[in-house]
Amino acid sequence: MKNTLKYLGTMFAMVLLMTGCGSKSAEDTFSDAIDKTNDFKNLQFAMKVDASISAQGTTMGIGMNLEGEGGEEAAHITGKLTMLGMEQDMEIYTVEKDNMMYSYQKDDEGNWTYTKEAFNKEEMDTEKVLKKLKEYKSIKKVKSDKKGYTKLEVVYDGKKLNEAASDETVKETLGQDVKIEKDLVVNVYIKDGYISIVSVDLGELAKDLVKEQGYEVKATITVEMSKFNKVSKVTVPEEVLNNAKEEVE
C-alpha cells in the first residue's frame, strides 16, 4: 500500500510539472518581481521612444534613444533625440545633494549648464511607483519572444487612467481636458526575478488625448533595465562641476 501511494504521488507530481499547474501564477510572478525590483540600489537602463504625429498629409517623426546608469544619488545618461530628420546628442548628469536635485546638461557646442530644484523624495519614491503597477485590471502569461525572459501581458483600466488624467497637474501639462476611453496594455518581461523590460504601445491612448485636434498618433516606449546592484557609483567629472553655468528662468 505504501509503495502504491508512493508511485501515485510521483505520478501526480509529474502531471503537475507537465501541465504547469505547479508553476507560479502570473499574479505572483509579477508581484514578486515588483518587490524584488524595488530593492535595487543601482542599475543600467535604456529607453527607446518611437513616435509620429500626422495631420493634413504631413507626418512628423520623433525618436529618442537613451542609455544610462546610476542610482538614487546620481545618474549618467547619454543618447540621441531625433525630430524632423535632425539628430541632437544628449548627455546628462543628475545628482541629489542637500535636498536639491542638480541636472547637468551639455549643449550642442559642448558647453555645460545646470539647473537645480527642490528634491521631494516622496514624489520620486520608487516604491510608490512600483506599487501602482500592481493596480492592474487583468494579467496573464504569454509566449515570450525573448529567450530567457518570462513575458506578462498586463492590462490597466482606462477608467482609472482617465481619473489620473483629470488631475489638475496633468490638465496644466496637456493644456486641455482629456478623456481616456481605452484600456492600456503593457508587456512586461521578467528575468532573474527582476522587471527587466517594459514595453507599451501608446498609440491608442494617444489618439484619445488628441482626437479632437484631428491628429493621427503612433507611439511606442520600451524601457530595459539590467545589472541590478552591479553598477559603480556615478560621479560628475570635476571639469563639468567647475565649468557648468546655472540656467535661471
Side-chain angles (χ1 to χ4, degrees):
M1 183 68 177
K2 287 184 178 179
N3 286 335
T4 301
L5 291 174
K6 178 181 177 181
Y7 291 137
L8 287 174
T10 302
M11 290 178 63
F12 181 63
M14 291 178 65
V15 170
L16 287 177
L17 290 172
M18 292 175 66
T19 60
C21 293
S23 62
K24 190 183 294 185
S25 68
E27 292 84 356
D28 288 342
T29 298
F30 192 37
S31 180
D32 290 348
I34 290 173
D35 293 339
K36 185 174 182 178
T37 304
N38 181 54
D39 289 333
F40 84 90
K41 297 296 183 290
N42 54 64
L43 52 71
Q44 192 173 85
F45 60 90
M47 182 172 73
K48 184 177 181 180
V49 178
D50 284 316
S52 65
I53 301 175
S54 301
Q56 298 179 345
T58 301
T59 300
M60 179 178 69
I62 303 170
M64 184 166 60
N65 285 279
L66 300 177
E67 295 182 351
E69 60 182 20
E72 290 186 356
E73 294 183 357
H76 181 216
I77 304 166
T78 59
K80 290 182 180 294
L81 174 66
T82 305
M83 186 178 295
L84 298 175
M86 300 176 63
E87 284 190 350
Q88 179 181 346
D89 291 326
M90 301 172 63
E91 184 172 8
I92 300 170
Y93 285 94
T94 61
V95 181
E96 179 196 346
K97 181 181 178 182
D98 300 327
N99 295 320
M100 301 289 290
M101 178 61 74
Y102 291 78
S103 296
Y104 298 85
Q105 185 166 347
K106 184 164 64 174
D107 63 21
D108 293 338
E109 298 178 356
N111 300 313
W112 286 90
T113 60
Y114 75 92
T115 59
K116 62 181 181 180
E117 60 181 338
F119 179 68
N120 188 329
K121 283 191 175 183
E122 290 186 1
E123 291 181 357
M124 301 295 289
D125 191 344
T126 305
E127 184 176 0
K128 287 185 177 180
V129 175
L130 289 172
K131 280 184 176 179
K132 283 291 183 182
L133 292 178
K134 293 184 179 181
E135 298 177 4
Y136 51 80
K137 181 178 180 179
S138 65
I139 184 171
K140 64 180 179 180
K141 286 185 180 181
V142 295
K143 184 177 180 181
S144 179
D145 51 337
K146 298 182 184 295
K147 188 176 180 180
Y149 292 82
T150 297
K151 184 178 180 181
L152 305 175
E153 185 180 278
V154 189
V155 179
Y156 292 91
D157 193 332
K159 291 181 180 178
K160 290 186 177 181
L161 294 174
N162 197 46
E163 291 175 5
S166 65
D167 182 86
E168 290 300 323
T169 303
V170 176
K171 289 181 181 179
E172 184 177 339
T173 301
L174 296 174
Q176 61 177 352
D177 290 335
V178 297
K179 185 175 181 181
I180 298 171
E181 299 175 348
K182 301 178 182 68
D183 292 341
L184 180 66
V185 179
V186 180
N187 291 313
V188 178
Y189 296 81
I190 296 171
K191 185 176 183 181
D192 299 327
Y194 288 102
I195 295 176
S196 296
I197 303 174
V198 177
S199 181
V200 56
D201 185 339
L202 293 172
E204 292 300 315
L205 186 64
K207 286 178 184 178
D208 283 348
L209 298 178
V210 298
K211 64 182 180 182
E212 292 184 3
Q213 285 75 24
Y215 299 144
E216 181 179 342
V217 178
K218 296 180 180 179
T220 58
I221 299 177
T222 302
V223 178
E224 298 190 33
M225 297 174 285
S226 60
K227 295 187 177 180
F228 291 91
N229 303 320
K230 296 179 181 179
V231 173
S232 300
K233 183 179 179 180
V234 172
T235 57
V236 183
E238 288 294 326
E239 179 184 359
V240 175
L241 293 173
N242 294 334
N243 296 299
K245 295 182 179 181
E246 184 177 4
E247 285 188 351
V248 180
E249 294 183 358

